[in-house]
């Protein structure tokens, strides 16, 4: 005879409401885990999509994500000739606010040369960039459909393809365009400023500047060795993809990551306290029944089983509600909520441990109930 | 008669120590034979509930000797390693407010006492159902306690107390929540059980309308037995 289930059935409405309430709290904690993972995956999304083995940037910087980096465009040819390099491409990166049909949107613009490293690895719909100018491939997170137009700077761009899940470390959706377009956008001066620069005889008119050169290596090439070779040019720095990834997660998004991590820990602690209180209240509600059970000879394992099973059922059902809630709502979040089977499973283990620990106080209290408390009015 | 099922010798209970010590029970002697229904009466604080608790093995005596079913249970220390098992197998309890578990229906409340003793649920429910029939509440077997009348609930509670065929049945004001008619029915039922199962029944009561249903009436005052009267039935 399962007393825990019988008691739950008896107060089913109350139990379900408690589970839903606790599920909301667990849902928030689970969302934080997902957002934490999302920050990391967003930070790495671009570098992973570009499938670069080597990043060549301005000397003395750790660009182009952690610091600003500007190098001449022709460095690409120098890098391409390094031993072990299979292909090299120049890229520019710039955060911009653009006028989209739905309003002003914030995007990260990537300029690259089609046919060379630097473009998106997968096109979700439409096509990649061809030879034509003023075309863009936009990530779905920007809300731009195929065929839409986007006003960037002084020019109008047409969406010819879309990607999925490509965002910058700050969560801004990526927009890919021709390198020449992005250089114009980034480095060409406005007409009035250009006239002033020419009058002052300064070199304001040159735009063959890029932020980084990325290279893919031959399978047998050692990235560290090729990076070391590139660093011999005094005006350049080089990072392997692993170094770039470490930089992204440990420097660029580190503060956000730690903040989210600490908030998640606080939420889990709050959840643990609330779970313990709910289990304690559920147990103390049955004080007379537990005393009666002891009086009629129920062994301790029956009492422990009653409390423990209810605690685990409460935690289990609340967690199922939490998972359902988060998975139903995660696309509504402005930033990626990255939850996979591993995160869900680890969180399930954490919740189980919390329920077990939370029920210890209640079990201790239940075992201290005296059987004579069943007597009298 | 098969001999005393409850034997209390010079049993004392003191709460606290030193100047604040309260002697709730002072060297009480009491013997209850098989088939006997004994009433315990007395004013509040006279020690009747303490005596019931000591016989139920839910409080430890301070001095004296206690035997249940011929086995010494306490004589300076507990002589039975598992008191809950002793209660489960040898003692049945009936409470003032029935104390049925609100989340089990009538038949499961009765069967629970058997399943705690290791009997499988199907067999336990069959026995419980038969006992409820015997106590004339079989038709209410699937009802939850909140749906039972006071009399029905008390019969179910009696069935729970009887289902493991205990040697001793302890009842704490079992008729306090019942009207006169139902109180008499419950007491007649307990008398019938005492006779048929040869059980010793000890009932704490203030209810004068059922005093005539006891074989003996023991009066307690200030922790001592003031009177022990055998009644002619």
């Amino acid at each position: 005879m399962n007393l825990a289930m019988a008691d739950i059935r008896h107060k089913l409405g109350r139990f379900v409401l408690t589970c839903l309430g606790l599920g909301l709290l667990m849902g928030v904690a689970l969302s934080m885990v997902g957002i934490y993972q999302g920050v990391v995956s967003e930070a790495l999304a671009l570098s992973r999509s570009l499938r670069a083995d080597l990043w060549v940037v301005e000397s003395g910087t750790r660009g182009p994500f952690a610091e600003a980096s500007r190098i001449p465009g022709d460095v690409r040819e120098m890098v391409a000739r390094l031993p072990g390099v299979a292909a090299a491409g120049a890229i520019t990166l710039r955060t911009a606010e653009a006028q989209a049909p739905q309003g002003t949107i914030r995007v990260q613009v990537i300029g690259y040369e089609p046919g060379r490293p630097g473009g998106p690895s997968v096109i979700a719909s439409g096509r990649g960039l061809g030879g034509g100018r003023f075309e863009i491939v936009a990530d779905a997170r920007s809300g731009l459909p195929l065929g839409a137009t986007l006003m960037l700077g002084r020019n109008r761009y047409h969406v010819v393809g879309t990607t999925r899940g490509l965002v910058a470390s700050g969560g801004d959706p990526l927009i890919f365009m021709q390198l020449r377009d992005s250089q114009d956008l980034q480095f060409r001066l406005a007409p009035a400023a250009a006239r002033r620069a020419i009058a002052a005889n300064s070199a304001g008119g040159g735009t063959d500047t890029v932020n980084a050169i990325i290279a893919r290596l031959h399978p047998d090439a050692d990235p560290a060795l090729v990076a070391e070779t590139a660093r011999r040019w005094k005006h350049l720095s080089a990072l392997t993809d692993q170094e770039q990834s470490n930089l992204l997660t440990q420097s660029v998004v580190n503060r956000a990551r730690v903040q989210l991590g600490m908030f998640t820990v606080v939420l889990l602690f709050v959840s643990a306290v609330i779970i313990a209180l709910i289990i304690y209240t559920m147990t103390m509600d049955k004080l007379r029944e537990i005393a009666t059970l002891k009086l009629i000879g129920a062994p301790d394992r029956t009492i422990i089983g009653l409390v423990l099973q209810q605690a685990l059922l409460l935690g289990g059902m609340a967690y199922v509600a939490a998972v359902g809630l988060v998975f139903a709502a995660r696309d509504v979040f402005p930033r990626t909520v990255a939850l996979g089977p591993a995160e869900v499973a680890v969180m399930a283990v954490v919740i189980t441990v919390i329920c077990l620990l939370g029920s210890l106080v209640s079990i201790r209290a239940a075992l201290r109930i005296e059987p004579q408390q069943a007597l009298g009015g | 008669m098969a001999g005393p099922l409850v034997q209390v010798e010079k049993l004392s209970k003191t709460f606290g120590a030193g100047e604040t010590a309260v002697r709730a029970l002072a060297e009480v002697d009491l013997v209850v034979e098989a088939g006997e229904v004994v009433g315990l009466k007395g004013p509040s604080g006279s020690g009747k509930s303490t005596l019931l608790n000591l016989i139920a093995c839910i409080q430890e005596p301070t001095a004296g000797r206690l035997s249940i079913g011929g086995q010494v249970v306490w004589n300076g220390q507990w002589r039975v390693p598992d008191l809950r098992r002793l209660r489960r197998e040898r003692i049945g309890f009936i409470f003032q407010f029935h104390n049925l578990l609100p989340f089990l229906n009538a038949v499961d409340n009765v069967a629970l006492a058997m399943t705690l003793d290791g009997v499988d649920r199907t067999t336990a429910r069959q026995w419980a159902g038969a006992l409820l029939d015997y106590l004339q509440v079989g038709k209410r077997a699937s009802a939850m306690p909140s749906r039972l009348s006071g009399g029905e609930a008390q019969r179910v509670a009696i069935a729970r107390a009887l289902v493991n065929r205990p040697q001793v049945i302890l009842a704490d004001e079992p008729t306090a929540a019942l009207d006169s008619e139902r109180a008499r029915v419950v007491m007649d039922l307990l008398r019938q059980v005492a006779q048929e199962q040869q059980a010793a029944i000890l009932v704490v009561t203030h209810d004068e309308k059922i005093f005539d249903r006891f074989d003996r009436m023991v009066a307690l005052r200030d922790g001592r037995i003031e009177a022990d009267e055998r009644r002619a039935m």
Side-chain angles (χ1 to χ4, degrees), chain A residues 22-38 260 263-269 271 315-316 318-330 333 336-351 354:
Chain A
L22 199 55
L24 288 173
L25 180 65
M26 287 183 187
V28 175
L30 191 61
S31 301
M32 292 310 297
V33 172
I35 293 168
Y36 175 93
Q37 293 292 337
L260 288 168
F263 195 58
T264 306
V265 170
V266 170
L267 268 175
L268 286 173
F269 182 75
S271 302
Y319 188 59
V320 168
V323 171
L325 190 74
V326 172
F327 275 81
R330 68 175 178 171
F333 283 75
T336 303
V337 180
L339 284 173
E343 286 79 22
V344 173
V346 168
M347 192 68 171
V349 172
V350 171
I351 296 294
I354 285 175

Side-chain angles (χ1 to χ4, degrees), chain A residues 283-334:
Chain A
T283 306
M284 288 299 105
D285 275 353
K286 291 190 284 290
L287 189 146
R288 198 177 176 90
E289 286 80 16
I290 291 171
T292 302
L293 281 167
K294 286 186 168 185
L295 190 60
I296 65 174
D300 280 347
R301 66 172 182 278
T302 304
I303 313 291
I304 293 170
L306 173 64
V307 177
L308 207 55
Q309 286 174 42
Q310 290 199 336
L312 290 174
L313 276 167
L314 177 76
M317 283 187 65
Y319 188 59
V320 168
V323 171
L325 190 74
V326 172
F327 275 81
R330 68 175 178 171
D331 289 338
V332 181
F333 283 75

Side-chain angles (χ1 to χ4, degrees), chain A residues 75-77 79-81 85-90 113 116-117 213-216:
Chain A
V75 171
R76 193 238 308 148
E77 298 306 326
V79 173
R81 284 196 292 271
V85 173
E113 301 162 286
R116 297 183 190 278
I213 304 294
I214 60 172
R216 290 194 190 127

Side-chain angles (χ1 to χ4, degrees), chain A residues 49-71:
Chain A
S49 170
L50 297 180
R51 290 183 289 126
D53 298 315
L54 192 70
W55 293 76
V56 179
V57 295
E58 183 181 349
S59 172
T61 73
R62 298 195 298 168
F65 306 110
E67 294 178 89
S69 159
R70 288 175 66 157
I71 52 177

Side-chain angles (χ1 to χ4, degrees), chain A residues 151-206:
Chain A
M151 196 68 191
L152 258 169
R154 295 188 301 277
N155 298 314
R156 194 176 292 276
Y157 296 83
H158 294 275
V159 179
V160 297
T162 64
T163 59
R164 204 168 277 281
L166 285 185
V167 291
S169 59
D172 298 328
L174 296 184
I175 284 186
F176 294 89
M177 63 171 58
Q178 289 268 6
L179 183 67
R180 198 170 151 201
D181 289 342
S182 73
Q183 285 175 322
D184 282 353
L185 190 67
Q186 193 167 350
F187 304 116
R188 175 162 288 178
L189 295 172
R195 281 194 299 275
R196 186 177 155 82
I198 291 165
N201 200 24
S202 69

Side-chain angles (χ1 to χ4, degrees), chain A residues 183-250:
Chain A
Q183 285 175 322
D184 282 353
L185 190 67
Q186 193 167 350
F187 304 116
R188 175 162 288 178
L189 295 172
R195 281 194 299 275
R196 186 177 155 82
I198 291 165
N201 200 24
S202 69
T207 59
D208 190 19
T209 304
V210 297
N211 298 120
I213 304 294
I214 60 172
R216 290 194 190 127
L217 305 183
H218 291 297
D220 55 347
D222 179 4
L225 209 62
V226 181
E228 194 53 47
T229 309
R231 285 187 202 113
R232 287 189 190 140
W233 285 310
K234 298 297 180 195
H235 64 297
L236 298 176
S237 280
L239 297 100
T240 63
D241 189 49
Q242 185 58 50
E243 287 168 337
Q244 188 66 270
S245 297
N246 291 344
L247 197 62
L248 280 164
T249 52
Q250 288 167 19

